[in-house]
Amino acid sequence: MKIRCNTQLLSEACQNVQRVVTTKTTIPAIEGILLRAEDGKLQLTGYDLEVGIMTTLDINVEEEGSIVLNAKILCDILRRLPAETVTIEADSRQACRIRCGDAEYKLIGIAADEYPELPTVNDSRPVIIDSDLLNDMIRETIFAVSTNDTKMIHNGIKFEINPGELRLVAVDGFRMAIRTESIKYDEEPFHFVVPSKTLNEVSKLLDSSEVAAMNVAKRHIIFEIGSYTIISRLLDGEFLDYSAAIPKSSSTTVEVDVENFIHSIERTSLLITDRLKSPLRCVFEDNNIKISSSTSLGTAEDRIPAKIEGNRVEIGFNNRFLLDAFRACSCETVKVSLNGALSPITVVPMEGEKFLYLILPVRLRGEH
């Protein structure tokens, strides 16, 4: 193999592909990036046996061929090369030479046939979606994905695709995030669960693309984003019946400014640390929300106005869970519904059903 290409373009492509490459493996080949040069193009592949990223660059191919090079070393070299054009040569013994300006590196690669094949996806269903919209939906739900291995299905986001509608759902046992949007889709409804690791990588690539295509098969999904292809396995199992977890009624409703509430939570959370955990105490009454915290460092109190209807409620929350939900709200004012001190709360927009965030309370001292 012998190729010549733009240093910056190759470096950017390698950085993006490297993100799925693992170093915790007994298979040396998947610690590397597969480079395959043919027909004036260079295909780069990173794969950790669960998620794969591929991209193709138009380059000058002087001799076709392929090789696997250690991802970290290759990316570190490309980032620091001094000139605009880089030449990479590899022989049949996997000896590789990288030249750029006066810099030269000699590396020992791995044969391409030792690199595992990515899954083939047949009988897939295509769904086209605006990339900004998909990015927003992922960002506004992924914070609620479980990081616990006890039920792997909840380590991903559930996609529900119905005629004219896409809904994303994430749950972790303490909170839930639901985002719903209209899309152009008029086929049979279906659903699947994508690992959060995959969606983190999808989200990073969506920034530079206008349209994303999802091709969904029984066990795998392919995301086509600009010049990149991401292939991932789907998660198996029984996802939570989330509609049954949503309270059907409330004894107290609160209309509150999102930014005001976020700033108040941040102010009263300053004394809470990973070592000094303490719930935020929130009192909803008399068109005010009183927020306080107490740790061995001291106490903090704050108050913000809100429009409150119904019973007085004094309730405790994990401050981070409350912040995550309100930071994800895509409107200025929201409606918060409560049902006493021990029931979950819901946060929804003033109009429509664009999002719903559910948060379980934390028991305060003295509650039974």
Side-chain angles (χ1 to χ4, degrees):
M1 180 181 87
K2 184 176 181 182
I3 61 171
R4 184 177 288 110
C5 63
N6 179 276
T7 306
Q8 182 64 27
L9 287 179
L10 181 58
S11 180
E12 285 177 10
C14 281
Q15 308 298 333
N16 286 328
V17 167
Q18 183 201 18
R19 289 203 300 259
V20 297
V21 175
T22 181
T23 54
K24 299 174 182 175
T25 178
T26 55
I27 307 170
I30 62 172
E31 291 184 21
I33 292 174
L34 171 63
L35 290 81
R36 191 181 300 279
E38 56 188 5
D39 298 328
K41 294 183 183 298
L42 176 67
Q43 185 186 67
L44 300 110
T45 304
Y47 183 42
D48 70 353
L49 304 182
E50 292 186 358
V51 186
I53 297 183
M54 291 177 291
T55 192
T56 303
L57 299 174
D58 291 321
I59 62 159
N60 184 343
V61 177
E62 295 185 18
E63 187 180 325
E64 295 186 346
S66 55
I67 192 170
V68 178
L69 295 175
N70 181 279
K72 184 179 185 309
I73 292 170
L74 177 61
C75 288
D76 285 347
I77 289 172
L78 291 172
R79 251 200 311 260
R80 291 167 174 80
L81 289 178
E84 282 186 14
T85 303
V86 58
T87 301
I88 301 177
E89 296 178 68
D91 63 22
S92 58
R93 294 171 300 163
Q94 316 312 321
C96 178
R97 185 164 67 151
I98 300 172
R99 286 178 294 137
C100 180
D102 292 328
E104 180 173 324
Y105 296 86
K106 291 179 180 177
L107 306 176
I108 301 300
I110 297 173
D113 57 13
E114 292 186 35
Y115 200 82
E117 279 192 40
L118 272 68
T120 52
V121 174
N122 300 313
D123 301 322
S124 63
R125 303 195 206 192
V127 180
I128 307 297
I129 183 169
D130 176 84
S131 67
D132 286 340
L133 180 61
L134 180 58
N135 205 3
D136 287 345
M137 294 183 77
I138 292 170
R139 184 175 50 80
E140 292 166 12
T141 49
I142 202 164
F143 67 87
V145 169
S146 174
T147 54
N148 193 316
D149 291 342
T150 53
K151 197 162 187 186
M152 292 298 293
I153 189 77
H154 293 149
N155 291 172
I157 293 178
K158 184 179 187 184
F159 282 60
E160 291 184 351
I161 300 178
N162 296 297
E165 183 184 85
L166 170 64
R167 175 172 293 148
L168 271 58
V169 185
V171 296
D172 72 355
F174 303 99
R175 52 188 170 164
M176 178 166 68
I178 302 173
R179 275 287 276 113
T180 307
E181 288 286 353
S182 299
I183 61 166
K184 289 180 180 176
Y185 178 79
D186 56 8
E187 304 291 328
E188 285 287 308
F190 66 111
H191 59 84
F192 51 92
V193 180
V194 185
S196 61
K197 177 184 175 180
T198 303
L199 292 173
N200 274 318
E201 299 310 325
V202 167
S203 188
K204 288 168 189 169
L205 293 174
L206 283 170
D207 289 340
S208 57
S209 178
E210 291 180 6
V211 176
M214 298 185 288
N215 290 286
V216 189
K218 190 173 181 183
R219 297 191 179 279
H220 293 89
I221 184 169
I222 293 176
F223 291 90
E224 302 281 354
I225 304 164
S227 62
Y228 288 86
T229 299
I230 299 180
I231 184 167
S232 168
R233 68 183 179 91
L234 298 172
L235 295 176
D236 293 321
E238 193 71 31
F239 201 85
L240 175 78
D241 179 7
Y242 65 87
S243 58
I246 301 170
K248 302 296 185 281
S249 62
S250 62
S251 59
T252 308
T253 59
V254 180
E255 188 179 319
V256 64
D257 181 274
V258 171
E259 201 168 322
N260 273 356
F261 202 16
I262 288 171
H263 292 330
S264 186
I265 296 166
E266 289 172 340
R267 284 192 291 270
T268 47
S269 297
L270 292 174
L271 303 181
I272 300 170
T273 67
D274 288 339
R275 192 170 55 84
L276 298 171
K277 295 184 187 299
S278 174
L280 278 186
R281 183 182 295 265
C282 299
V283 180
F284 298 83
E285 67 174 343
D286 299 334
N287 287 331
N288 281 289
I289 305 174
K290 290 178 248 180
I291 308 172
S292 61
S293 66
S294 176
T295 71
S296 60
L297 291 173
T299 62
E301 294 180 5
D302 196 27
R303 180 198 304 255
I304 58 168
K307 185 179 176 183
I308 299 174
E309 294 180 3
N311 301 333
R312 175 189 186 273
V313 179
E314 185 169 352
I315 188 169
F317 292 107
N318 177 305
N319 64 311
R320 187 170 58 83
F321 291 175
L322 209 55
L323 268 178
D324 285 345
F326 275 85
R327 282 174 177 162
C329 292
S330 53
C331 53
E332 291 180 2
T333 308
V334 293
K335 184 172 85 171
V336 181
S337 298
L338 303 101
N339 225 339
L342 301 178
S343 296
I345 69 161
T346 58
V347 182
V348 298
M350 297 304 297
E351 294 178 9
E353 299 179 342
K354 189 175 180 180
F355 61 81
L356 182 148
Y357 299 120
L358 180 147
I359 310 158
L360 267 59
V362 176
R363 193 180 291 271
L364 295 168
R365 278 193 220 108
E367 287 179 349
H368 300 290

Coordinates of all heavy atoms in Angstrom, one line a residue, residues 148-226:
N148 N -26.1 1.2 35.3 CA -26.1 0.0 36.1 C -26.2 -1.2 35.2 O -27.0 -1.2 34.3 CB -27.2 0.1 37.1 CG -27.1 -1.0 38.2 OD1 -26.8 -2.1 37.9 ND2 -27.3 -0.6 39.5
D149 N -25.4 -2.2 35.5 CA -25.4 -3.4 34.6 C -26.5 -4.4 35.0 O -26.6 -5.5 34.3 CB -24.0 -4.1 34.7 CG -23.0 -3.3 34.0 OD1 -23.3 -2.4 33.2 OD2 -21.8 -3.6 34.3
T150 N -27.3 -4.2 36.0 CA -28.3 -5.2 36.4 C -29.3 -5.4 35.4 O -29.8 -6.5 35.2 CB -29.0 -4.8 37.7 OG1 -29.5 -3.5 37.6 CG2 -28.0 -4.8 38.9
K151 N -29.7 -4.4 34.6 CA -30.7 -4.6 33.5 C -30.1 -3.8 32.3 O -30.4 -2.7 32.1 CB -32.1 -4.1 33.9 CG -33.2 -4.6 33.0 CD -34.5 -4.5 33.6 CE -35.5 -5.2 32.7 NZ -36.9 -5.1 33.1
M152 N -29.4 -4.6 31.4 CA -28.7 -4.0 30.3 C -29.6 -3.2 29.4 O -29.1 -2.2 28.8 CB -27.9 -5.1 29.6 CG -26.8 -5.7 30.3 SD -25.5 -4.5 30.8 CE -24.8 -4.1 29.2
I153 N -30.8 -3.6 29.2 CA -31.7 -2.9 28.3 C -31.9 -1.4 28.6 O -32.1 -0.6 27.7 CB -33.1 -3.6 28.3 CG1 -34.0 -3.1 27.2 CG2 -33.8 -3.4 29.6 CD1 -33.7 -3.6 25.8
H154 N -31.7 -1.1 29.9 CA -31.8 0.3 30.3 C -30.5 1.1 30.2 O -30.5 2.3 30.6 CB -32.4 0.4 31.8 CG -33.8 -0.1 31.9 ND1 -34.3 -0.7 33.0 CD2 -34.8 -0.1 31.0 CE1 -35.6 -1.0 32.8 NE2 -35.9 -0.7 31.6
N155 N -29.5 0.4 29.6 CA -28.2 1.1 29.3 C -28.3 1.8 28.0 O -27.3 2.3 27.4 CB -27.1 0.2 29.3 CG -26.7 -0.3 30.7 OD1 -25.9 -1.2 30.9 ND2 -27.3 0.2 31.8
G156 N -29.5 1.9 27.4 CA -29.7 2.5 26.1 C -31.0 3.3 26.1 O -31.7 3.4 27.1
I157 N -31.2 4.0 25.0 CA -32.4 4.8 24.8 C -33.4 4.0 23.9 O -33.0 3.5 22.8 CB -32.1 6.2 24.2 CG1 -31.3 7.0 25.2 CG2 -33.3 6.9 23.7 CD1 -30.9 8.4 24.6
K158 N -34.6 4.0 24.3 CA -35.6 3.3 23.4 C -36.1 4.3 22.4 O -36.5 5.4 22.7 CB -36.8 2.8 24.3 CG -37.9 2.1 23.5 CD -39.0 1.6 24.4 CE -39.9 0.6 23.6 NZ -41.1 0.2 24.5
F159 N -36.1 3.8 21.1 CA -36.7 4.6 20.0 C -38.0 4.0 19.7 O -38.1 2.8 19.4 CB -35.7 4.5 18.8 CG -34.5 5.4 18.8 CD1 -33.6 5.3 19.8 CD2 -34.3 6.4 17.8 CE1 -32.4 6.1 19.8 CE2 -33.2 7.2 17.9 CZ -32.2 7.0 18.9
E160 N -39.1 4.8 19.7 CA -40.4 4.3 19.2 C -40.7 5.1 18.0 O -40.8 6.4 18.0 CB -41.4 4.6 20.3 CG -41.3 3.7 21.5 CD -42.4 3.9 22.5 OE1 -43.2 4.8 22.4 OE2 -42.5 3.1 23.5
I161 N -40.8 4.4 16.9 CA -41.1 5.1 15.6 C -42.5 4.7 15.2 O -42.8 3.6 14.9 CB -40.1 4.7 14.5 CG1 -38.7 5.2 15.0 CG2 -40.4 5.4 13.2 CD1 -37.6 4.8 14.1
N162 N -43.4 5.7 15.1 CA -44.8 5.6 14.7 C -45.0 6.5 13.5 O -44.3 7.4 13.2 CB -45.7 5.9 15.8 CG -45.6 5.0 17.0 OD1 -45.8 3.8 16.9 ND2 -45.1 5.6 18.1
P163 N -46.1 6.2 12.7 CA -46.4 7.1 11.6 C -46.4 8.6 12.0 O -47.2 9.0 12.9 CB -47.7 6.7 11.1 CG -47.8 5.2 11.5 CD -47.0 5.1 12.8
G164 N -45.5 9.4 11.5 CA -45.4 10.8 11.8 C -44.8 11.2 13.1 O -44.7 12.4 13.4
E165 N -44.2 10.2 13.8 CA -43.7 10.6 15.1 C -42.5 9.7 15.6 O -42.5 8.5 15.3 CB -44.9 10.4 16.2 CG -44.5 10.8 17.6 CD -45.6 10.5 18.6 OE1 -45.7 9.3 19.0 OE2 -46.4 11.4 18.8
L166 N -41.6 10.4 16.2 CA -40.4 9.7 16.8 C -40.4 10.0 18.3 O -40.5 11.2 18.7 CB -39.1 10.1 16.2 CG -37.8 9.7 16.9 CD1 -37.7 8.1 16.9 CD2 -36.6 10.3 16.2
R167 N -40.3 9.0 19.2 CA -40.2 9.2 20.6 C -39.0 8.5 21.1 O -38.7 7.3 20.8 CB -41.5 8.7 21.3 CG -41.4 8.7 22.8 CD -42.7 8.4 23.5 NE -43.7 9.4 23.1 CZ -45.0 9.1 23.0 NH1 -45.5 7.9 23.1 NH2 -45.8 10.1 22.7
L168 N -38.2 9.2 22.0 CA -37.1 8.6 22.7 C -37.3 8.5 24.2 O -37.9 9.5 24.7 CB -35.8 9.5 22.4 CG -34.9 9.1 21.2 CD1 -35.7 9.2 19.9 CD2 -33.7 10.0 21.1
V169 N -37.0 7.4 24.8 CA -37.3 7.2 26.2 C -36.0 6.6 26.9 O -35.4 5.7 26.4 CB -38.4 6.2 26.4 CG1 -38.8 6.1 27.9 CG2 -39.7 6.6 25.6
A170 N -35.7 7.3 28.0 CA -34.5 6.8 28.8 C -35.0 6.7 30.3 O -35.7 7.5 30.8 CB -33.3 7.7 28.7
V171 N -34.5 5.6 31.0 CA -34.9 5.4 32.4 C -33.7 4.8 33.1 O -32.9 4.1 32.6 CB -36.1 4.4 32.6 CG1 -37.3 5.0 32.0 CG2 -35.8 3.1 32.0
D172 N -33.6 5.2 34.4 CA -32.5 4.6 35.2 C -32.9 4.1 36.6 O -32.0 3.9 37.4 CB -31.3 5.6 35.3 CG -31.6 6.8 36.2 OD1 -32.7 6.9 36.7 OD2 -30.6 7.6 36.5
G173 N -34.2 4.1 36.9 CA -34.7 3.6 38.2 C -35.0 4.7 39.1 O -35.7 4.6 40.1
F174 N -34.4 5.9 38.9 CA -34.7 7.1 39.7 C -35.3 8.2 38.9 O -35.8 9.2 39.5 CB -33.3 7.6 40.3 CG -32.6 6.6 41.1 CD1 -31.5 5.9 40.5 CD2 -33.0 6.3 42.4 CE1 -30.8 4.9 41.2 CE2 -32.3 5.3 43.1 CZ -31.2 4.6 42.5
R175 N -35.2 8.2 37.6 CA -35.8 9.2 36.8 C -36.1 8.7 35.4 O -35.6 7.6 35.0 CB -34.8 10.4 36.7 CG -33.4 10.0 36.3 CD -32.4 11.0 36.4 NE -31.1 10.5 36.2 CZ -30.0 11.3 36.0 NH1 -30.1 12.6 35.9 NH2 -28.8 10.7 35.9
M176 N -36.8 9.5 34.6 CA -37.2 9.1 33.3 C -37.2 10.3 32.4 O -37.6 11.4 32.9 CB -38.5 8.4 33.3 CG -39.0 8.0 31.9 SD -40.4 6.9 32.1 CE -41.7 7.9 32.8
A177 N -36.8 10.2 31.1 CA -36.8 11.3 30.2 C -37.5 10.8 28.9 O -37.2 9.7 28.4 CB -35.4 11.8 29.9
I178 N -38.5 11.6 28.4 CA -39.2 11.2 27.2 C -39.2 12.5 26.3 O -39.5 13.6 26.7 CB -40.7 10.8 27.5 CG1 -40.7 9.7 28.5 CG2 -41.4 10.5 26.2 CD1 -42.2 9.3 29.0
R179 N -38.8 12.3 25.0 CA -38.8 13.3 24.0 C -39.6 12.9 22.8 O -39.4 11.8 22.3 CB -37.4 13.7 23.6 CG -36.7 14.7 24.5 CD -37.3 16.1 24.4 NE -36.7 16.8 23.3 CZ -37.3 17.2 22.2 NH1 -38.6 16.9 22.0 NH2 -36.7 17.9 21.2
T180 N -40.5 13.7 22.3 CA -41.4 13.3 21.2 C -41.3 14.4 20.2 O -41.4 15.6 20.5 CB -42.8 13.1 21.7 OG1 -42.8 12.2 22.8 CG2 -43.7 12.5 20.6
E181 N -41.2 14.0 18.9 CA -41.2 15.0 17.8 C -41.9 14.4 16.6 O -41.9 13.2 16.4 CB -39.7 15.3 17.4 CG -39.0 16.2 18.4 CD -39.5 17.7 18.4 OE1 -40.3 18.0 17.5 OE2 -39.0 18.4 19.3
S182 N -42.3 15.3 15.7 CA -42.9 14.8 14.4 C -41.8 14.6 13.4 O -40.9 15.4 13.3 CB -43.9 15.9 13.9 OG -44.9 16.2 14.8
I183 N -42.0 13.5 12.7 CA -41.0 13.2 11.6 C -41.8 12.7 10.4 O -43.0 12.4 10.5 CB -39.9 12.2 12.0 CG1 -40.6 10.8 12.3 CG2 -39.1 12.7 13.1 CD1 -39.6 9.7 12.4
K184 N -41.1 12.7 9.2 CA -41.8 12.1 8.0 C -41.5 10.6 8.0 O -40.4 10.1 7.7 CB -41.1 12.8 6.8 CG -41.5 14.2 6.6 CD -40.9 14.8 5.3 CE -41.3 16.2 5.2 NZ -40.7 16.9 4.0
Y185 N -42.6 9.9 8.4 CA -42.5 8.4 8.4 C -43.9 7.9 8.3 O -44.8 8.3 9.2 CB -41.8 7.9 9.7 CG -41.7 6.4 9.7 CD1 -40.8 5.7 9.0 CD2 -42.7 5.7 10.5 CE1 -40.7 4.3 9.0 CE2 -42.6 4.3 10.5 CZ -41.7 3.6 9.8 OH -41.6 2.2 9.8
D186 N -44.2 7.1 7.4 CA -45.6 6.6 7.2 C -45.7 5.1 7.0 O -46.7 4.5 6.5 CB -46.3 7.3 6.0 CG -45.5 7.1 4.7 OD1 -44.5 6.3 4.7 OD2 -45.9 7.8 3.7
E187 N -44.7 4.4 7.6 CA -44.7 2.9 7.5 C -45.2 2.3 8.8 O -45.7 3.0 9.7 CB -43.3 2.4 7.2 CG -42.6 3.0 6.0 CD -43.3 2.5 4.7 OE1 -43.7 1.3 4.7 OE2 -43.3 3.3 3.7
E188 N -45.0 1.0 9.0 CA -45.5 0.3 10.2 C -44.7 0.8 11.4 O -43.5 1.0 11.3 CB -45.3 -1.2 10.0 CG -46.2 -1.9 9.1 CD -47.6 -2.0 9.8 OE1 -47.7 -2.5 10.9 OE2 -48.6 -1.6 9.1
P189 N -45.4 0.9 12.6 CA -44.6 1.3 13.8 C -43.7 0.2 14.2 O -43.9 -1.0 14.0 CB -45.7 1.5 14.8 CG -47.0 0.9 14.3 CD -46.8 0.8 12.8
F190 N -42.5 0.6 14.8 CA -41.6 -0.3 15.4 C -40.8 0.4 16.5 O -40.8 1.6 16.6 CB -40.7 -1.0 14.3 CG -39.8 -0.1 13.6 CD1 -38.4 -0.2 13.8 CD2 -40.2 0.9 12.7 CE1 -37.5 0.6 13.2 CE2 -39.3 1.7 12.1 CZ -37.9 1.6 12.3
H191 N -40.1 -0.4 17.2 CA -39.2 0.2 18.3 C -38.0 -0.7 18.5 O -37.9 -1.9 18.1 CB -40.0 0.3 19.6 CG -40.5 -1.0 20.1 ND1 -39.8 -1.9 20.9 CD2 -41.8 -1.6 20.0 CE1 -40.5 -3.0 21.2 NE2 -41.7 -2.8 20.7
F192 N -37.0 -0.1 19.1 CA -35.7 -0.7 19.3 C -34.9 0.1 20.4 O -35.3 1.3 20.7 CB -34.9 -0.8 18.0 CG -34.7 0.5 17.3 CD1 -33.7 1.3 17.5 CD2 -35.7 0.9 16.4 CE1 -33.6 2.5 16.8 CE2 -35.6 2.1 15.7 CZ -34.6 2.9 15.9
V193 N -33.9 -0.5 21.0 CA -33.1 0.2 22.0 C -31.6 0.3 21.6 O -31.0 -0.7 21.3 CB -33.2 -0.5 23.4 CG1 -32.4 0.2 24.4 CG2 -34.7 -0.6 23.8
V194 N -31.1 1.5 21.5 CA -29.7 1.8 21.1 C -28.9 2.1 22.3 O -29.2 2.9 23.1 CB -29.7 3.0 20.1 CG1 -28.2 3.1 19.6 CG2 -30.7 2.8 18.9
P195 N -27.7 1.4 22.4 CA -26.8 1.7 23.6 C -26.4 3.1 23.7 O -26.2 3.8 22.6 CB -25.6 0.8 23.3 CG -26.1 -0.3 22.3 CD -27.1 0.4 21.5
S196 N -26.3 3.6 24.9 CA -26.0 5.1 25.1 C -24.6 5.3 24.5 O -24.3 6.4 24.0 CB -26.0 5.5 26.5 OG -25.1 4.7 27.3
K197 N -23.6 4.4 24.6 CA -22.3 4.6 24.0 C -22.4 4.9 22.6 O -21.7 5.8 22.1 CB -21.5 3.3 24.3 CG -20.1 3.4 23.6 CD -19.3 2.1 23.8 CE -17.9 2.2 23.1 NZ -17.1 1.0 23.2
T198 N -23.2 4.2 21.8 CA -23.4 4.4 20.4 C -23.9 5.8 20.2 O -23.4 6.6 19.3 CB -24.3 3.4 19.8 OG1 -23.9 2.1 20.0 CG2 -24.5 3.6 18.3
L199 N -24.9 6.2 20.9 CA -25.6 7.5 20.7 C -24.7 8.7 21.1 O -24.8 9.7 20.5 CB -26.9 7.5 21.5 CG -28.0 6.6 21.0 CD1 -29.2 6.5 21.9 CD2 -28.4 6.9 19.6
N200 N -23.8 8.5 22.0 CA -22.8 9.5 22.3 C -21.9 9.8 21.1 O -21.6 10.9 20.8 CB -21.9 9.1 23.5 CG -22.5 9.5 24.8 OD1 -23.0 10.6 25.0 ND2 -22.4 8.6 25.8
E201 N -21.5 8.7 20.4 CA -20.7 8.9 19.2 C -21.5 9.5 18.1 O -21.0 10.3 17.3 CB -20.1 7.5 18.8 CG -19.2 6.9 19.8 CD -18.1 7.8 20.3 OE1 -17.6 8.7 19.5 OE2 -17.8 7.8 21.5
V202 N -22.8 9.0 17.9 CA -23.7 9.6 16.9 C -23.8 11.1 17.1 O -23.7 11.9 16.2 CB -25.0 8.9 16.9 CG1 -26.1 9.6 16.1 CG2 -24.9 7.4 16.4
S203 N -24.0 11.5 18.4 CA -24.2 12.9 18.7 C -23.0 13.7 18.3 O -23.2 14.9 17.8 CB -24.6 13.0 20.2 OG -24.9 14.3 20.5
K204 N -21.8 13.2 18.5 CA -20.6 14.0 18.2 C -20.5 14.2 16.7 O -20.0 15.3 16.2 CB -19.4 13.3 18.7 CG -19.3 13.3 20.2 CD -18.2 12.4 20.7 CE -18.2 12.3 22.2 NZ -17.4 11.1 22.7
L205 N -20.9 13.3 15.9 CA -20.8 13.4 14.4 C -22.0 14.2 13.8 O -21.9 14.7 12.7 CB -20.7 12.0 13.8 CG -19.5 11.2 14.1 CD1 -19.6 9.8 13.5 CD2 -18.2 11.9 13.6
L206 N -23.1 14.2 14.5 CA -24.3 14.9 14.0 C -24.1 16.4 13.8 O -24.7 17.1 13.0 CB -25.5 14.7 14.9 CG -26.2 13.4 14.8 CD1 -27.2 13.2 15.9 CD2 -26.9 13.2 13.4
D207 N -23.1 17.0 14.6 CA -22.9 18.4 14.5 C -22.5 18.9 13.1 O -22.8 20.1 12.8 CB -21.7 18.8 15.5 CG -22.2 18.7 16.9 OD1 -23.4 18.7 17.2 OD2 -21.3 18.6 17.8
S208 N -21.9 18.1 12.3 CA -21.4 18.5 11.0 C -22.3 18.0 9.9 O -21.8 18.0 8.7 CB -20.0 18.1 10.9 OG -19.9 16.7 11.0
S209 N -23.5 17.5 10.1 CA -24.3 17.0 9.1 C -25.7 17.6 9.1 O -26.2 18.0 10.1 CB -24.4 15.5 9.3 OG -25.2 14.9 8.3
E210 N -26.3 17.6 7.9 CA -27.7 18.2 7.9 C -28.8 17.1 8.1 O -29.8 17.4 8.6 CB -27.9 18.9 6.5 CG -27.1 20.2 6.4 CD -27.3 20.8 5.0 OE1 -28.2 20.4 4.3 OE2 -26.6 21.8 4.8
V211 N -28.5 15.9 7.5 CA -29.5 14.9 7.6 C -28.9 13.6 8.1 O -27.7 13.3 7.7 CB -30.1 14.6 6.2 CG1 -31.1 13.5 6.2 CG2 -30.9 15.9 5.7
A212 N -29.6 12.8 8.9 CA -29.1 11.6 9.4 C -30.0 10.5 8.9 O -31.3 10.7 8.9 CB -29.0 11.5 10.9
A213 N -29.5 9.4 8.4 CA -30.3 8.2 8.0 C -30.1 7.1 9.0 O -28.9 6.8 9.3 CB -30.0 7.8 6.6
M214 N -31.2 6.5 9.5 CA -31.1 5.3 10.3 C -31.6 4.1 9.5 O -32.7 4.2 9.0 CB -31.9 5.5 11.6 CG -31.5 6.6 12.5 SD -32.4 6.6 14.1 CE -34.0 7.2 13.5
N215 N -30.8 3.0 9.5 CA -31.3 1.8 8.9 C -31.3 0.7 10.0 O -30.2 0.4 10.5 CB -30.3 1.4 7.7 CG -30.4 2.3 6.5 OD1 -31.4 2.2 5.8 ND2 -29.5 3.2 6.4
V216 N -32.5 0.3 10.3 CA -32.7 -0.5 11.5 C -33.0 -2.0 11.1 O -34.0 -2.2 10.3 CB -33.8 0.0 12.4 CG1 -33.9 -0.7 13.7 CG2 -33.6 1.5 12.6
A217 N -32.2 -2.9 11.6 CA -32.5 -4.3 11.3 C -32.9 -5.0 12.7 O -33.1 -4.3 13.7 CB -31.3 -5.0 10.7
K218 N -33.0 -6.3 12.7 CA -33.4 -7.0 13.9 C -32.4 -6.9 15.0 O -32.8 -6.6 16.2 CB -33.6 -8.5 13.6 CG -34.3 -9.2 14.7 CD -34.7 -10.7 14.2 CE -35.4 -11.4 15.4 NZ -35.7 -12.8 15.0
R219 N -31.1 -6.9 14.7 CA -30.2 -6.9 15.8 C -29.2 -5.7 15.8 O -28.4 -5.5 16.7 CB -29.3 -8.2 15.8 CG -30.2 -9.5 16.1 CD -29.3 -10.7 16.3 NE -30.1 -11.8 16.6 CZ -30.7 -12.1 17.8 NH1 -30.4 -11.3 18.8 NH2 -31.4 -13.2 17.9
H220 N -29.2 -5.0 14.6 CA -28.2 -3.9 14.5 C -28.9 -2.7 13.9 O -30.0 -2.8 13.3 CB -27.1 -4.4 13.6 CG -26.2 -5.5 14.2 ND1 -26.5 -6.8 14.0 CD2 -25.1 -5.4 14.9 CE1 -25.5 -7.5 14.6 NE2 -24.7 -6.7 15.2
I221 N -28.2 -1.6 14.0 CA -28.6 -0.3 13.4 C -27.4 0.3 12.8 O -26.3 0.2 13.3 CB -29.3 0.6 14.5 CG1 -29.8 1.9 13.8 CG2 -28.3 1.0 15.6 CD1 -30.7 2.8 14.7
I222 N -27.7 1.0 11.6 CA -26.6 1.7 10.9 C -27.1 3.2 10.9 O -28.2 3.5 10.4 CB -26.4 1.2 9.5 CG1 -25.8 -0.2 9.5 CG2 -25.5 2.1 8.7 CD1 -25.6 -0.8 8.2
F223 N -26.2 4.1 11.3 CA -26.4 5.5 11.2 C -25.5 6.0 10.1 O -24.3 5.8 10.1 CB -26.1 6.3 12.5 CG -27.0 6.0 13.6 CD1 -26.8 5.0 14.5 CD2 -28.1 6.8 13.9 CE1 -27.6 4.7 15.6 CE2 -29.0 6.6 14.9 CZ -28.7 5.5 15.8
E224 N -26.1 6.7 9.1 CA -25.4 7.3 8.0 C -25.4 8.8 8.3 O -26.4 9.5 8.2 CB -26.0 7.1 6.7 CG -26.1 5.6 6.3 CD -24.8 5.0 5.8 OE1 -23.8 5.7 5.6 OE2 -24.8 3.7 5.6
I225 N -24.2 9.4 8.6 CA -24.1 10.8 9.0 C -23.0 11.4 8.2 O -21.8 11.2 8.4 CB -23.8 11.0 10.5 CG1 -24.8 10.2 11.3 CG2 -23.7 12.4 10.9 CD1 -24.4 10.0 12.8
G226 N -23.3 12.2 7.1 CA -22.3 12.8 6.3 C -21.5 11.6 5.6 O -22.0 10.7 5.1

